[in-house]
């Protein structure tokens, strides 16, 4: 039974070591390839992230520049539109044949308010700008057309100023068309750039997500392979240690077993030869003449009595224990000399003591190994339970992180949508603002012109007595009554109300313009704050998602390790179960019969010692 156990375990452990060595080599090669692949993916991930960040920064910079250009364009467009309208109105007024000086002054004020000098610096010659500047300055204090520079004729179309304004109107209209065309081209270029950058950012984020997934899967496989390699190494060490101890134990056992078999075969052969000799017909004839006669004659001899007593003790012990060795020794005691019998008894006692001690050591080894197996099994089940709990916690954590990342991505998408809507609303509000300010300023210009005209008309009316009248009751030498005087002139009461109404409308228009400017500024500040807050929130969500992705990858790696550990724990429990089965096969018989076998050997040794004492002459 022991020989079979040694061979079976040797064969199984040798095969296990060979398979483990091959598996270790394969795993080490696989881990090296996985590490190189992971480095490559991380490098590509870093470069992709840098490209996405650069694209986002470029898009934000382009958006800010586009907003700045849009504001500048709207301001330029409004000024050019106002300048074109002012030039057009001035040309209409100055083109009249019955033009008055007051109208010329109004034209000068209208053109100054439209800032035609500042706008005309780009295309208008310096000499024309100088003439126009003199026209503005002198038109306010001139008393006739001849005093106005560049306008020395009552025929308006022949004046220098008319020609300058005609050319400036054309230049302003051309500049307006060019600015509008440029803004349209810039808007199209920005839209194309925005679409291209968004596509690049989307592709980069998709690639980054794919790389994150590949890295996470590779980490999980790497962790599994690494854990499998560690388990393989540990198992190899255990198998090698087990095999070394097995070979040591079995080599000693094989030597002892071979020696015992050899000794027993020699002993059996000697007994067989002795029996053949004693059973020979000549031996019987000789014994009848010598030994039987000697026994009858010397039956009372003390030597024969001791021999008989020793033989009787050995036979009783053999019957009680079932030991064939004692029966054989009892037979030899009848044939051999006392010295040979005592020597054989000593050998048997020594052998029985050795067997007794070996069995005690085997019993102690069985107890220790079974206890170790039991403790390892209990620890294995505790580890299995702890790993199952850990796996459940990690799965919940991964599920929670996945939901949180989905919520964060939804929040970012919603913010980006709101930012897009806010940009569209801001552009619409700015366009409304530009139109409102332009309309209000144009209304103010027209109303101011009407107000000045009303005030000038009322100021030119006579307010005191004046012109001569028809003489009454006069003769050649007597002038008669003096000329009749006009009654004191009084303004029409409705004129004041019209002037007040126009002034009130102008005031309301300026208030509306100021309110529009303040509202535009407040809206722009609110828009800028909203965009900044949204960008900060998106950046915060991005950092949060990065951290959550890292935590998810770590949790997945830990989950993979825990699953590998659980698999190893289950496999270890299976090995412990197999080991327990092997131990029970080797130990159950020894443990169950230990007391009886020890008692039987003790009885054999006692019988042998008693027989030896009898042969030695002890009572």
């Amino acid at each position: 039974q022991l020989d079979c156990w040694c061979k079976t375990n040797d064969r199984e452990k040798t095969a296990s070591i060979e398979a483990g060595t091959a598996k270790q080599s394969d795993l080490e090669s696989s881990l090296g390839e996985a590490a190189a692949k992971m480095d490559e993916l991380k490098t590509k991930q870093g470069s992709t992230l840098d490209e996405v960040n650069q694209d986002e920064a470029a898009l934000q910079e382009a958006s800010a520049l586009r907003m700045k250009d849009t504001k500048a364009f709207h301001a330029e467009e409004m000024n050019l539109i106002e300048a074109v309208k002012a030039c057009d109105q001035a040309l209409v007024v100055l083109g009249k044949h019955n033009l008055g000086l007051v109208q010329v002054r109004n034209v000068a004020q209208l053109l100054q308010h439209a800032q035609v000098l500042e706008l005309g610096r780009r295309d208008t010659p310096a000499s024309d700008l100088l003439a126009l500047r003199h026209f503005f300055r002198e038109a306010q204090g001139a008393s006739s057309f001849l005093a106005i520079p560049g306008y020395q004729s009552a025929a308006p179309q022949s004046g220098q100023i008319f020609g300058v304004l005609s050319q400036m109107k054309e230049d302003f209209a051309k500049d307006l068309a060019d600015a509008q065309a440029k803004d349209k081209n810039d808007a199209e270029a920005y839209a194309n750039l925005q679409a291209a950058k968004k596509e690049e950012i989307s592709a980069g984020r998709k690639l980054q997500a794919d790389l994150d997934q590949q890295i996470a899967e590779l980490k999980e496989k790497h962790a599994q392979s690494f854990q499998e390699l560690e388990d393989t190494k540990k198992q190899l060490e255990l198998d090698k240690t087990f095999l070394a101890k097995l070979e040591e134990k079995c080599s000693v056992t094989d030597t002892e077993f071979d020696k015992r078999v050899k000794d027993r075969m020699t002993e059996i052969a000697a007994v067989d030869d002795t029996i053949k000799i004693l059973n020979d017909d000549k031996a019987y004839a000789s014994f009848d003449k010598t030994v039987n006669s000697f026994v009858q004659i010397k039956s009372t001899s003390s030597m024969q009595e001791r021999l008989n007593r020793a033989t009787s003790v050995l036979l009783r012990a053999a019957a009680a224990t079932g030991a064939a060795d004692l029966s054989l020794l009892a037979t030899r005691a009848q044939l051999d000399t006392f010295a040979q019998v005592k020597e054989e008894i000593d050998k048997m006692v020594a052998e029985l003591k050795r067997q007794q001690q070996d069995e005690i050591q085997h019993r102690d080894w069985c107890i220790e190994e079974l206890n170790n197996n039991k403790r390892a099994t209990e620890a294995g089940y505790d580890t299995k339970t702890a790993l199952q709990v850990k796996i459940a916690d990690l799965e919940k954590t991964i599920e929670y992180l996945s939901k949180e990342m989905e919520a964060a991505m939804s929040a970012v998408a919603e913010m980006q949508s709101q930012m897009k809507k806010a940009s569209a609303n801001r552009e619409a509000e700015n366009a409304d603002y530009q139109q409102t300010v332009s309309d209000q300023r144009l209304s103010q210009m027209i109303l101011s012109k009407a107000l000045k005209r009303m005030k000038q008309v009322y100021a030119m009316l006579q307010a005191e007595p004046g012109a001569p009248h028809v003489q009454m009751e006069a003769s050649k030498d007597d002038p008669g009554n003096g000329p009749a005087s006009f009654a004191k002139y009084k303004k029409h009461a409705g004129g004041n109300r019209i002037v007040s109404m126009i002034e009130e409308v102008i005031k309301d228009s300026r208030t509306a313009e100021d309110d529009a400017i303040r509202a535009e500024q407040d809206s722009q500040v609110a828009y800028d704050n909203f965009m900044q807050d949204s960008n900060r929130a998106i950046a915060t969500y991005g950092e949060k998602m990065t951290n959550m992705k890292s935590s998810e990858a770590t949790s997945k790696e830990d989950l993979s390790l825990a699953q590998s550990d659980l698999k190893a724990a289950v496999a270890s429990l299976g090995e412990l179960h197999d080991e327990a089965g092997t131990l029970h096969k080797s130990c159950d018989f020894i443990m169950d019969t230990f007391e009886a076998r020890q008692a039987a050997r003790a009885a054999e040794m006692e019988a042998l010692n008693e027989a030896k004492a009898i042969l030695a002459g002890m009572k």
Side-chain angles (χ1 to χ4, degrees), residues 276-303:
K276 287 180 181 179
I277 293 171
L278 293 176
N279 288 332
D280 186 76
D281 293 337
K282 294 180 179 181
Y284 275 115
S286 177
F287 288 157
D288 287 338
K289 296 178 179 180
T290 58
V291 176
N292 291 338
S293 176
F294 177 77
V295 171
Q296 291 175 357
I297 296 171
K298 302 293 183 178
S299 59
T300 59
S301 170
S302 61
M303 183 180 297

PDB file of all heavy atoms in Angstrom, residues 276-303:
ATOM      1  N   LYS A 276      12.131 -29.468   5.689  1.00  0.00           N
ATOM      2  CA  LYS A 276      12.415 -30.578   4.770  1.00  0.00           C
ATOM      3  C   LYS A 276      13.382 -31.566   5.415  1.00  0.00           C
ATOM      4  O   LYS A 276      13.236 -32.796   5.287  1.00  0.00           O
ATOM      5  CB  LYS A 276      13.008 -30.021   3.482  1.00  0.00           C
ATOM      6  CG  LYS A 276      12.014 -29.302   2.602  1.00  0.00           C
ATOM      7  CD  LYS A 276      12.685 -28.774   1.331  1.00  0.00           C
ATOM      8  CE  LYS A 276      11.698 -28.048   0.466  1.00  0.00           C
ATOM      9  NZ  LYS A 276      12.329 -27.506  -0.763  1.00  0.00           N
ATOM     10  N   ILE A 277      14.376 -30.993   6.095  1.00  0.00           N
ATOM     11  CA  ILE A 277      15.355 -31.882   6.739  1.00  0.00           C
ATOM     12  C   ILE A 277      14.701 -32.721   7.824  1.00  0.00           C
ATOM     13  O   ILE A 277      14.920 -33.937   7.942  1.00  0.00           O
ATOM     14  CB  ILE A 277      16.515 -31.054   7.310  1.00  0.00           C
ATOM     15  CG1 ILE A 277      17.324 -30.418   6.154  1.00  0.00           C
ATOM     16  CG2 ILE A 277      17.422 -31.898   8.173  1.00  0.00           C
ATOM     17  CD1 ILE A 277      18.345 -29.410   6.617  1.00  0.00           C
ATOM     18  N   LEU A 278      13.915 -32.043   8.656  1.00  0.00           N
ATOM     19  CA  LEU A 278      13.283 -32.758   9.768  1.00  0.00           C
ATOM     20  C   LEU A 278      12.239 -33.771   9.295  1.00  0.00           C
ATOM     21  O   LEU A 278      11.980 -34.759   9.979  1.00  0.00           O
ATOM     22  CB  LEU A 278      12.639 -31.745  10.724  1.00  0.00           C
ATOM     23  CG  LEU A 278      13.615 -30.822  11.477  1.00  0.00           C
ATOM     24  CD1 LEU A 278      12.838 -29.800  12.314  1.00  0.00           C
ATOM     25  CD2 LEU A 278      14.553 -31.632  12.369  1.00  0.00           C
ATOM     26  N   ASN A 279      11.627 -33.517   8.150  1.00  0.00           N
ATOM     27  CA  ASN A 279      10.598 -34.418   7.645  1.00  0.00           C
ATOM     28  C   ASN A 279      11.175 -35.571   6.824  1.00  0.00           C
ATOM     29  O   ASN A 279      10.437 -36.417   6.337  1.00  0.00           O
ATOM     30  CB  ASN A 279       9.590 -33.640   6.791  1.00  0.00           C
ATOM     31  CG  ASN A 279       8.710 -32.746   7.642  1.00  0.00           C
ATOM     32  OD1 ASN A 279       8.475 -33.061   8.823  1.00  0.00           O
ATOM     33  ND2 ASN A 279       8.207 -31.669   7.066  1.00  0.00           N
ATOM     34  N   ASP A 280      12.453 -35.594   6.682  1.00  0.00           N
ATOM     35  CA  ASP A 280      13.077 -36.661   5.900  1.00  0.00           C
ATOM     36  C   ASP A 280      12.957 -38.007   6.658  1.00  0.00           C
ATOM     37  O   ASP A 280      13.008 -38.032   7.886  1.00  0.00           O
ATOM     38  CB  ASP A 280      14.551 -36.311   5.646  1.00  0.00           C
ATOM     39  CG  ASP A 280      15.188 -37.315   4.708  1.00  0.00           C
ATOM     40  OD1 ASP A 280      14.903 -37.225   3.477  1.00  0.00           O
ATOM     41  OD2 ASP A 280      15.938 -38.155   5.189  1.00  0.00           O
ATOM     42  N   ASP A 281      12.809 -39.087   5.932  1.00  0.00           N
ATOM     43  CA  ASP A 281      12.628 -40.414   6.553  1.00  0.00           C
ATOM     44  C   ASP A 281      13.848 -40.809   7.384  1.00  0.00           C
ATOM     45  O   ASP A 281      13.717 -41.399   8.480  1.00  0.00           O
ATOM     46  CB  ASP A 281      12.380 -41.480   5.462  1.00  0.00           C
ATOM     47  CG  ASP A 281      11.036 -41.250   4.781  1.00  0.00           C
ATOM     48  OD1 ASP A 281      10.161 -40.601   5.414  1.00  0.00           O
ATOM     49  OD2 ASP A 281      10.858 -41.717   3.627  1.00  0.00           O
ATOM     50  N   LYS A 282      15.014 -40.505   6.895  1.00  0.00           N
ATOM     51  CA  LYS A 282      16.217 -40.837   7.650  1.00  0.00           C
ATOM     52  C   LYS A 282      16.276 -40.080   8.963  1.00  0.00           C
ATOM     53  O   LYS A 282      16.713 -40.596   9.984  1.00  0.00           O
ATOM     54  CB  LYS A 282      17.467 -40.519   6.829  1.00  0.00           C
ATOM     55  CG  LYS A 282      17.622 -41.402   5.592  1.00  0.00           C
ATOM     56  CD  LYS A 282      18.868 -41.038   4.822  1.00  0.00           C
ATOM     57  CE  LYS A 282      19.057 -41.917   3.600  1.00  0.00           C
ATOM     58  NZ  LYS A 282      20.281 -41.583   2.856  1.00  0.00           N
ATOM     59  N   ALA A 283      15.812 -38.744   8.923  1.00  0.00           N
ATOM     60  CA  ALA A 283      15.813 -37.945  10.154  1.00  0.00           C
ATOM     61  C   ALA A 283      14.864 -38.550  11.162  1.00  0.00           C
ATOM     62  O   ALA A 283      15.176 -38.631  12.355  1.00  0.00           O
ATOM     63  CB  ALA A 283      15.418 -36.508   9.840  1.00  0.00           C
ATOM     64  N   TYR A 284      13.683 -39.008  10.679  1.00  0.00           N
ATOM     65  CA  TYR A 284      12.736 -39.625  11.611  1.00  0.00           C
ATOM     66  C   TYR A 284      13.329 -40.884  12.228  1.00  0.00           C
ATOM     67  O   TYR A 284      13.185 -41.155  13.421  1.00  0.00           O
ATOM     68  CB  TYR A 284      11.416 -39.970  10.887  1.00  0.00           C
ATOM     69  CG  TYR A 284      10.454 -38.801  10.833  1.00  0.00           C
ATOM     70  CD1 TYR A 284      10.088 -38.215   9.609  1.00  0.00           C
ATOM     71  CD2 TYR A 284       9.879 -38.323  12.008  1.00  0.00           C
ATOM     72  CE1 TYR A 284       9.214 -37.154   9.570  1.00  0.00           C
ATOM     73  CE2 TYR A 284       8.999 -37.280  11.943  1.00  0.00           C
ATOM     74  CZ  TYR A 284       8.655 -36.683  10.753  1.00  0.00           C
ATOM     75  OH  TYR A 284       7.794 -35.652  10.713  1.00  0.00           O
ATOM     76  N   ALA A 285      13.991 -41.713  11.411  1.00  0.00           N
ATOM     77  CA  ALA A 285      14.582 -42.951  11.928  1.00  0.00           C
ATOM     78  C   ALA A 285      15.670 -42.657  12.934  1.00  0.00           C
ATOM     79  O   ALA A 285      15.786 -43.301  13.984  1.00  0.00           O
ATOM     80  CB  ALA A 285      15.150 -43.784  10.769  1.00  0.00           C
ATOM     81  N   SER A 286      16.436 -41.654  12.635  1.00  0.00           N
ATOM     82  CA  SER A 286      17.517 -41.282  13.553  1.00  0.00           C
ATOM     83  C   SER A 286      16.964 -40.717  14.845  1.00  0.00           C
ATOM     84  O   SER A 286      17.462 -41.009  15.937  1.00  0.00           O
ATOM     85  CB  SER A 286      18.451 -40.268  12.890  1.00  0.00           C
ATOM     86  OG  SER A 286      19.440 -39.853  13.784  1.00  0.00           O
ATOM     87  N   PHE A 287      15.868 -39.851  14.700  1.00  0.00           N
ATOM     88  CA  PHE A 287      15.275 -39.257  15.916  1.00  0.00           C
ATOM     89  C   PHE A 287      14.683 -40.344  16.814  1.00  0.00           C
ATOM     90  O   PHE A 287      14.725 -40.241  18.040  1.00  0.00           O
ATOM     91  CB  PHE A 287      14.169 -38.247  15.543  1.00  0.00           C
ATOM     92  CG  PHE A 287      14.716 -36.962  14.944  1.00  0.00           C
ATOM     93  CD1 PHE A 287      13.911 -36.163  14.135  1.00  0.00           C
ATOM     94  CD2 PHE A 287      16.037 -36.573  15.173  1.00  0.00           C
ATOM     95  CE1 PHE A 287      14.397 -35.004  13.586  1.00  0.00           C
ATOM     96  CE2 PHE A 287      16.511 -35.410  14.610  1.00  0.00           C
ATOM     97  CZ  PHE A 287      15.701 -34.612  13.814  1.00  0.00           C
ATOM     98  N   ASP A 288      14.162 -41.427  16.208  1.00  0.00           N
ATOM     99  CA  ASP A 288      13.582 -42.492  17.019  1.00  0.00           C
ATOM    100  C   ASP A 288      14.658 -43.161  17.874  1.00  0.00           C
ATOM    101  O   ASP A 288      14.395 -43.614  18.997  1.00  0.00           O
ATOM    102  CB  ASP A 288      12.925 -43.543  16.114  1.00  0.00           C
ATOM    103  CG  ASP A 288      11.637 -42.997  15.527  1.00  0.00           C
ATOM    104  OD1 ASP A 288      11.076 -42.033  16.135  1.00  0.00           O
ATOM    105  OD2 ASP A 288      11.187 -43.492  14.484  1.00  0.00           O
ATOM    106  N   LYS A 289      15.881 -43.223  17.319  1.00  0.00           N
ATOM    107  CA  LYS A 289      16.948 -43.912  18.042  1.00  0.00           C
ATOM    108  C   LYS A 289      17.666 -43.006  19.023  1.00  0.00           C
ATOM    109  O   LYS A 289      18.240 -43.467  19.990  1.00  0.00           O
ATOM    110  CB  LYS A 289      17.965 -44.486  17.061  1.00  0.00           C
ATOM    111  CG  LYS A 289      17.390 -45.561  16.144  1.00  0.00           C
ATOM    112  CD  LYS A 289      18.426 -46.041  15.164  1.00  0.00           C
ATOM    113  CE  LYS A 289      17.888 -47.123  14.243  1.00  0.00           C
ATOM    114  NZ  LYS A 289      18.891 -47.608  13.272  1.00  0.00           N
ATOM    115  N   THR A 290      17.673 -41.673  18.737  1.00  0.00           N
ATOM    116  CA  THR A 290      18.527 -40.785  19.557  1.00  0.00           C
ATOM    117  C   THR A 290      17.714 -39.771  20.329  1.00  0.00           C
ATOM    118  O   THR A 290      17.649 -39.777  21.549  1.00  0.00           O
ATOM    119  CB  THR A 290      19.521 -40.043  18.672  1.00  0.00           C
ATOM    120  OG1 THR A 290      18.821 -39.297  17.677  1.00  0.00           O
ATOM    121  CG2 THR A 290      20.454 -41.014  17.974  1.00  0.00           C
ATOM    122  N   VAL A 291      17.073 -38.831  19.610  1.00  0.00           N
ATOM    123  CA  VAL A 291      16.413 -37.678  20.270  1.00  0.00           C
ATOM    124  C   VAL A 291      15.278 -38.145  21.149  1.00  0.00           C
ATOM    125  O   VAL A 291      15.184 -37.740  22.315  1.00  0.00           O
ATOM    126  CB  VAL A 291      15.895 -36.682  19.224  1.00  0.00           C
ATOM    127  CG1 VAL A 291      15.151 -35.561  19.903  1.00  0.00           C
ATOM    128  CG2 VAL A 291      17.051 -36.140  18.400  1.00  0.00           C
ATOM    129  N   ASN A 292      14.382 -39.021  20.603  1.00  0.00           N
ATOM    130  CA  ASN A 292      13.247 -39.440  21.425  1.00  0.00           C
ATOM    131  C   ASN A 292      13.723 -40.219  22.646  1.00  0.00           C
ATOM    132  O   ASN A 292      13.169 -40.083  23.737  1.00  0.00           O
ATOM    133  CB  ASN A 292      12.303 -40.309  20.590  1.00  0.00           C
ATOM    134  CG  ASN A 292      11.607 -39.452  19.514  1.00  0.00           C
ATOM    135  OD1 ASN A 292      11.525 -38.239  19.683  1.00  0.00           O
ATOM    136  ND2 ASN A 292      11.133 -40.093  18.465  1.00  0.00           N
ATOM    137  N   SER A 293      14.717 -41.006  22.410  1.00  0.00           N
ATOM    138  CA  SER A 293      15.260 -41.767  23.536  1.00  0.00           C
ATOM    139  C   SER A 293      15.861 -40.831  24.559  1.00  0.00           C
ATOM    140  O   SER A 293      15.672 -40.996  25.760  1.00  0.00           O
ATOM    141  CB  SER A 293      16.309 -42.777  23.036  1.00  0.00           C
ATOM    142  OG  SER A 293      16.895 -43.451  24.133  1.00  0.00           O
ATOM    143  N   PHE A 294      16.577 -39.798  24.047  1.00  0.00           N
ATOM    144  CA  PHE A 294      17.209 -38.847  24.954  1.00  0.00           C
ATOM    145  C   PHE A 294      16.146 -38.052  25.711  1.00  0.00           C
ATOM    146  O   PHE A 294      16.285 -37.796  26.913  1.00  0.00           O
ATOM    147  CB  PHE A 294      18.100 -37.890  24.147  1.00  0.00           C
ATOM    148  CG  PHE A 294      18.737 -36.819  24.992  1.00  0.00           C
ATOM    149  CD1 PHE A 294      19.838 -37.136  25.799  1.00  0.00           C
ATOM    150  CD2 PHE A 294      18.241 -35.525  25.024  1.00  0.00           C
ATOM    151  CE1 PHE A 294      20.428 -36.152  26.572  1.00  0.00           C
ATOM    152  CE2 PHE A 294      18.840 -34.569  25.801  1.00  0.00           C
ATOM    153  CZ  PHE A 294      19.937 -34.861  26.582  1.00  0.00           C
ATOM    154  N   VAL A 295      15.057 -37.711  25.035  1.00  0.00           N
ATOM    155  CA  VAL A 295      13.998 -36.943  25.704  1.00  0.00           C
ATOM    156  C   VAL A 295      13.363 -37.782  26.798  1.00  0.00           C
ATOM    157  O   VAL A 295      13.044 -37.286  27.887  1.00  0.00           O
ATOM    158  CB  VAL A 295      12.940 -36.493  24.692  1.00  0.00           C
ATOM    159  CG1 VAL A 295      11.748 -35.892  25.380  1.00  0.00           C
ATOM    160  CG2 VAL A 295      13.550 -35.475  23.742  1.00  0.00           C
ATOM    161  N   GLN A 296      13.136 -39.102  26.460  1.00  0.00           N
ATOM    162  CA  GLN A 296      12.520 -39.956  27.478  1.00  0.00           C
ATOM    163  C   GLN A 296      13.436 -40.136  28.663  1.00  0.00           C
ATOM    164  O   GLN A 296      12.989 -40.167  29.803  1.00  0.00           O
ATOM    165  CB  GLN A 296      12.187 -41.321  26.854  1.00  0.00           C
ATOM    166  CG  GLN A 296      11.062 -41.249  25.827  1.00  0.00           C
ATOM    167  CD  GLN A 296      10.847 -42.586  25.139  1.00  0.00           C
ATOM    168  OE1 GLN A 296      11.586 -43.573  25.402  1.00  0.00           O
ATOM    169  NE2 GLN A 296       9.837 -42.653  24.286  1.00  0.00           N
ATOM    170  N   ILE A 297      14.763 -40.258  28.329  1.00  0.00           N
ATOM    171  CA  ILE A 297      15.693 -40.486  29.430  1.00  0.00           C
ATOM    172  C   ILE A 297      15.897 -39.231  30.234  1.00  0.00           C
ATOM    173  O   ILE A 297      15.937 -39.255  31.465  1.00  0.00           O
ATOM    174  CB  ILE A 297      17.048 -41.020  28.878  1.00  0.00           C
ATOM    175  CG1 ILE A 297      16.840 -42.390  28.223  1.00  0.00           C
ATOM    176  CG2 ILE A 297      18.092 -41.124  29.979  1.00  0.00           C
ATOM    177  CD1 ILE A 297      18.061 -42.903  27.465  1.00  0.00           C
ATOM    178  N   LYS A 298      15.978 -38.121  29.548  1.00  0.00           N
ATOM    179  CA  LYS A 298      16.302 -36.857  30.244  1.00  0.00           C
ATOM    180  C   LYS A 298      15.080 -35.959  30.393  1.00  0.00           C
ATOM    181  O   LYS A 298      15.191 -34.732  30.381  1.00  0.00           O
ATOM    182  CB  LYS A 298      17.365 -36.080  29.465  1.00  0.00           C
ATOM    183  CG  LYS A 298      18.657 -36.864  29.263  1.00  0.00           C
ATOM    184  CD  LYS A 298      19.377 -37.098  30.580  1.00  0.00           C
ATOM    185  CE  LYS A 298      20.695 -37.803  30.384  1.00  0.00           C
ATOM    186  NZ  LYS A 298      21.446 -37.998  31.644  1.00  0.00           N
ATOM    187  N   SER A 299      13.901 -36.529  30.498  1.00  0.00           N
ATOM    188  CA  SER A 299      12.681 -35.718  30.546  1.00  0.00           C
ATOM    189  C   SER A 299      12.625 -34.807  31.730  1.00  0.00           C
ATOM    190  O   SER A 299      11.914 -33.818  31.756  1.00  0.00           O
ATOM    191  CB  SER A 299      11.455 -36.644  30.544  1.00  0.00           C
ATOM    192  OG  SER A 299      11.521 -37.501  31.673  1.00  0.00           O
ATOM    193  N   THR A 300      13.385 -35.161  32.701  1.00  0.00           N
ATOM    194  CA  THR A 300      13.352 -34.328  33.899  1.00  0.00           C
ATOM    195  C   THR A 300      14.437 -33.280  33.894  1.00  0.00           C
ATOM    196  O   THR A 300      14.589 -32.532  34.867  1.00  0.00           O
ATOM    197  CB  THR A 300      13.543 -35.237  35.135  1.00  0.00           C
ATOM    198  OG1 THR A 300      14.808 -35.917  35.023  1.00  0.00           O
ATOM    199  CG2 THR A 300      12.416 -36.261  35.226  1.00  0.00           C
ATOM    200  N   SER A 301      15.195 -33.219  32.741  1.00  0.00           N
ATOM    201  CA  SER A 301      16.303 -32.246  32.670  1.00  0.00           C
ATOM    202  C   SER A 301      15.753 -30.822  32.724  1.00  0.00           C
ATOM    203  O   SER A 301      14.723 -30.497  32.121  1.00  0.00           O
ATOM    204  CB  SER A 301      17.098 -32.464  31.385  1.00  0.00           C
ATOM    205  OG  SER A 301      17.998 -31.420  31.203  1.00  0.00           O
ATOM    206  N   SER A 302      16.431 -29.971  33.466  1.00  0.00           N
ATOM    207  CA  SER A 302      15.998 -28.545  33.583  1.00  0.00           C
ATOM    208  C   SER A 302      16.107 -27.811  32.263  1.00  0.00           C
ATOM    209  O   SER A 302      15.302 -26.921  31.955  1.00  0.00           O
ATOM    210  CB  SER A 302      16.855 -27.848  34.643  1.00  0.00           C
ATOM    211  OG  SER A 302      18.230 -27.865  34.287  1.00  0.00           O
ATOM    212  N   MET A 303      17.069 -28.178  31.447  1.00  0.00           N
ATOM    213  CA  MET A 303      17.226 -27.492  30.152  1.00  0.00           C
ATOM    214  C   MET A 303      16.020 -27.734  29.261  1.00  0.00           C
ATOM    215  O   MET A 303      15.483 -26.817  28.647  1.00  0.00           O
ATOM    216  CB  MET A 303      18.501 -27.971  29.462  1.00  0.00           C
ATOM    217  CG  MET A 303      18.798 -27.256  28.147  1.00  0.00           C
ATOM    218  SD  MET A 303      20.301 -27.871  27.390  1.00  0.00           S
ATOM    219  CE  MET A 303      21.494 -27.394  28.643  1.00  0.00           C
TER     220      MET A 303
END
